[in-house]
């Protein structure tokens, strides 16, 4: 008898071998005498009989189905296992954890933009979180026809509606089509609200929808880079500081000589301009009556005394006869 008991024993469990699964339906519908239910952390187990919910078990652990589960089932409280009478019920395992999903637009979205008659094609990328929030809705809408439901199924449904949602939320409030990243947060929150409302029809909630980046065509990127470069060149002082900082950072890491050459050129230009300014300042001071370097004060006297012919050596009076020289 012990051999037969072990032969009929089985485990009702979900190992979650597949990543990103939201629910899993136990495949063997015959639960035999001696079977045990194993609920792992982050799982709920729902017993179904003839499509109806008999009981929901949320605490993880290892349970004897006959003594610890059946007494809590709605219409199966008095079920007795016999030698050949297994319990014909379904067990639906729900993943209660919040799952992170990456998304990206399948095709470029054409947005109306000033100066671009055909519109501007952009792509967007980001992430969202999803989890099952309504057991009964999931059972009614999905579990009756699906063995499992994964994040890829959620992603497929969401991406199908993203084009229209992006166009709708980007077009609001006259946003700058060339700088959408600045409004990424508010656009994402609006889309998150609409996606959550739609997915809750299936019992699944959407949260933390984010837009990591908008991708523009290469031609638009080049135009933006050119405009930024022209703006920076217009402010020579700013350009010099940025080039110097870039050159020092690259030079410290053994970078190319192009940045260093640019820094040297800019520093040379700045030094040359400083010298010109100083020369102009020095000339202006000389013209205003300030003595230039090496100029003599008060004019030069005779080199020899006109009376006795003695050398004057720059004195105001002759050292021999005392004649005033200046």
């Amino acid at each position: 008898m012990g051999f037969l008991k072990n032969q009929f024993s089985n485990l009702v469990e979900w190992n979650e071998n597949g990543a990103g699964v939201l629910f899993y339906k136990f495949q063997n519908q015959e639960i035999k005498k001696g079977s045990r239910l194993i609920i792992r952390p982050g799982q709920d187990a729902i017993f179904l009989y003839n499509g109806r919910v008999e009981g929901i078990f949320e605490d993880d652990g290892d349970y004897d189905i006959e003594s610890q589960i059946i007494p809590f089932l709605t219409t199966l409280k008095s079920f007795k296992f016999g030698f050949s009478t297994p319990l014909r019920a379904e067990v639906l395992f729900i993943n209660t954890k919040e799952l992170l999903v990456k998304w990206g637009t399948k095709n470029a979205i054409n947005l109306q933009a000033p100066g671009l008659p055909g519109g501007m094609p952009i792509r967007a990328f980001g992430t969202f979180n999803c989890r099952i929030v309504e057991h009964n809705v999931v059972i009614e809408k999905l579990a009756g026809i699906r063995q499992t439901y994964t994040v890829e199924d959620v992603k497929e449904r969401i991406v199908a509606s993203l084009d229209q949602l992006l166009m709708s939320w980007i077009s609001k409030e006259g946003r700058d089509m060339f700088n959408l990243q600045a409004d990424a947060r508010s656009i994402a929150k609006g889309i998150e609200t609409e996606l959550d409302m739609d997915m809750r029809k299936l019992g699944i909630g959407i949260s933390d929808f984010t837009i990591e980046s908008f991708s523009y065509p290469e031609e638009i990127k080049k135009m933006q880079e050119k405009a930024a470069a022209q703006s920076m060149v217009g402010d020579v002082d700013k350009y010099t500081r940025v080039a110097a900082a870039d050159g020092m950072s690259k030079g410290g890491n053994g970078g190319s000589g192009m940045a260093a050459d640019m820094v040297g050129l800019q520093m040379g230009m700045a030094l040359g301009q400083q010298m010109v300014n100083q020369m102009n300042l020095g000339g202006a001071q000389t013209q205003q009556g300030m003595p230039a370097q090496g100029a003599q004060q008060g004019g030069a006297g005779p080199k020899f005394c006109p009376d006795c012919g003695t050398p004057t050596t720059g004195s105001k009076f002759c050292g021999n006869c005392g004649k005033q020289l200046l």
Side-chain angles (χ1 to χ4, degrees):
M1 291 296 295
F3 172 77
L4 291 177
K5 181 178 179 181
N6 291 332
Q7 184 183 30
F8 289 158
S9 296
N10 68 328
L11 291 177
V12 179
E13 63 177 337
W14 177 31
N15 291 318
E16 292 192 51
N17 294 327
V21 179
L22 290 173
F23 73 74
Y24 164 78
K25 189 186 299 181
F26 183 66
Q27 295 180 356
N28 184 2
Q29 295 184 4
E30 293 188 352
I31 301 174
K32 303 176 179 62
K33 185 179 179 65
S35 296
R36 303 192 67 82
L37 170 68
I38 297 177
I39 304 176
R40 292 180 168 80
Q43 295 180 357
D44 288 349
I46 302 176
F47 275 73
L48 303 172
Y49 186 71
N50 291 333
R52 293 180 52 190
V53 176
E54 289 290 320
I56 300 177
F57 302 89
E58 300 176 344
D59 296 331
D60 58 277
D62 186 339
Y63 302 90
D64 178 78
I65 291 179
E66 183 175 10
S67 62
Q68 295 177 283
I69 300 298
I70 289 181
F72 296 95
L73 301 182
T74 304
T75 59
L76 299 174
K77 291 180 179 180
S78 58
F79 179 83
K80 299 296 182 182
F81 282 103
F83 180 76
S84 59
T85 55
L87 175 64
R88 298 182 181 278
E90 295 178 328
V91 181
L92 183 68
F93 287 94
I94 299 290
N95 186 347
T96 62
K97 297 183 291 293
E98 196 170 58
L99 303 177
L100 178 68
V101 187
K102 294 183 178 181
W103 64 268
T105 51
K106 286 185 176 181
N107 303 303
I109 305 170
N110 271 331
L111 299 175
Q112 294 182 356
L116 297 175
M120 179 171 60
I122 68 163
R123 296 176 182 271
F125 307 88
T127 61
F128 66 84
N129 290 345
C130 66
R131 61 186 293 267
I132 291 179
V133 292
E134 295 288 345
H135 292 103
N136 291 334
V137 179
V138 167
I139 292 169
E140 179 186 353
K141 300 291 185 179
L142 298 174
I145 56 175
R146 300 288 296 266
Q147 194 73 28
T148 62
Y149 201 77
T150 69
V151 293
E152 288 300 318
D153 296 314
V154 177
K155 179 179 176 180
E156 182 178 353
R157 183 182 176 98
I158 284 180
V159 169
S161 60
L162 263 181
D163 288 7
Q164 292 299 323
L165 288 175
L166 280 167
M167 291 179 67
S168 173
W169 282 94
I170 289 175
S171 301
K172 289 185 177 181
E173 302 175 5
R175 304 183 193 277
D176 181 2
M177 296 298 115
F178 299 95
N179 190 24
L180 292 174
Q181 200 62 41
D183 295 323
R185 183 175 179 81
S186 60
I187 295 172
K189 292 305 293 183
I191 293 176
E192 176 187 322
T193 301
E194 294 203 34
L195 288 177
D196 184 61
M197 291 176 59
D198 178 60
M199 292 303 299
R200 281 180 181 269
K201 297 175 183 177
L202 300 179
I204 299 171
I206 302 297
S207 62
D208 294 329
F209 185 90
T210 62
I211 300 175
E212 294 180 357
S213 66
F214 287 98
S215 178
Y216 293 90
E218 286 299 321
E219 295 77 5
I220 300 297
K221 291 180 181 178
K222 291 177 181 178
M223 289 171 59
Q224 290 174 329
E225 291 171 359
K226 185 177 181 180
Q230 289 175 343
S231 174
M232 185 173 287
V233 169
D235 187 345
V236 177
D237 182 54
K238 179 180 178 181
Y239 183 76
T240 303
R241 292 197 303 269
V242 173
D246 185 60
M248 285 187 290
S249 64
K250 290 185 178 179
N253 296 324
S256 66
M258 183 178 295
D261 292 343
M262 180 63 71
V263 174
L265 176 61
Q266 294 297 325
M267 292 178 67
M269 291 172 61
L271 181 60
Q273 186 63 45
Q274 267 189 343
M275 294 174 64
V276 170
N277 291 341
Q278 289 176 355
M279 290 174 64
N280 290 339
L281 180 61
Q285 289 176 341
T286 302
Q287 291 175 3
Q288 292 173 2
M290 297 183 65
Q293 185 176 358
Q296 294 184 357
Q297 302 286 337
K303 294 182 179 181
F304 299 94
C305 178
D307 288 349
C308 66
T310 302
T312 60
T313 65
S315 300
K316 294 182 179 182
F317 298 91
C318 178
N320 181 39
C321 66
K323 181 177 177 60
Q324 184 175 356
L325 302 174
L326 296 177

